[in-house]
Amino acid sequence: MIQRIQTVYLIIVALLSGVLPFFVNLWSDAKGQEVYANNEILVSVLFYISGTLALWAMFLYKKRKNQFVLNRLNMILNLFLLGLFVYRSLNLSGETTVSEKGIGMLIPVFSIVFLALANRAIKKDEDLVKSVDRLR
């Protein structure tokens, strides 16, 4: 399980989605207060679900097809989260004083990249197993 590269990618996604948003600011409001994921309930729930899905997919190493599907669902969840951030940032930019977007808004993008890399490695493992089965 741990010797496979997709496990490393899934651990990175779990850390990115489950831990990092609560320490890195997502954006700053007009008053200059930094907004973290734990200040927004919907955002924090979506980040926790994404981290949990990544950990769950990591332990499905014997069922590669289910792992692949779970990663796809996690990508869709991260795309939804990214859309929520884009919507929020468009609303923030219309304020009279300048508001800043934080680096935490890029977390779903990095998660999607690592999930795609994990799916590529899972697909490679699945192809390897199929080719070995053909030789039997």
Side-chain angles (χ1 to χ4, degrees), residues 1 4 6-7 56-68 122 125-126 129:
M1 172 181 86
R4 295 175 30 197
Q6 58 263 32
T7 304
W56 189 20
M58 185 177 66
F59 290 112
L60 287 176
Y61 58 92
K62 289 186 179 180
K63 301 175 184 175
R64 287 176 296 278
K65 290 182 182 179
N66 292 346
Q67 193 178 27
F68 191 81
I122 292 167
D125 279 355
E126 187 67 27
V129 168

Side-chain angles (χ1 to χ4, degrees), residues 122-134:
I122 292 167
K123 177 79 169 131
K124 193 181 292 185
D125 279 355
E126 187 67 27
D127 291 343
L128 179 69
V129 168
K130 284 182 183 178
S131 71
V132 170
D133 284 344
R134 277 194 297 258

Side-chain angles (χ1 to χ4, degrees), residues 27-129:
W27 60 81
S28 299
D29 59 0
K31 299 173 189 168
Q33 297 175 340
E34 294 180 342
V35 177
Y36 295 93
N38 54 2
N39 297 349
E40 299 282 330
I41 294 174
L42 177 65
V43 173
S44 65
V45 167
L46 290 176
F47 272 127
Y48 277 136
I49 291 172
S50 177
T52 305
L53 281 176
L55 284 176
W56 189 20
M58 185 177 66
F59 290 112
L60 287 176
Y61 58 92
K62 289 186 179 180
K63 301 175 184 175
R64 287 176 296 278
K65 290 182 182 179
N66 292 346
Q67 193 178 27
F68 191 81
V69 169
L70 207 57
N71 283 345
R72 288 283 173 113
L73 288 174
N74 202 350
M75 278 191 229
I76 292 171
L77 177 68
N78 278 309
L79 282 173
F80 178 74
L81 195 55
L82 187 62
L84 183 70
F85 285 158
V86 168
Y87 172 74
R88 181 71 70 151
S89 69
L90 290 176
N91 283 346
L92 284 176
S93 63
E95 297 174 353
T96 56
T97 59
V98 176
S99 60
E100 295 180 11
K101 283 75 175 171
I103 193 72
M105 294 182 101
L106 293 176
I107 291 174
V109 173
F110 293 130
S111 294
I112 290 170
V113 168
F114 282 113
L115 286 168
L117 289 172
N119 274 353
R120 178 186 280 175
I122 292 167
K123 177 79 169 131
K124 193 181 292 185
D125 279 355
E126 187 67 27
D127 291 343
L128 179 69
V129 168

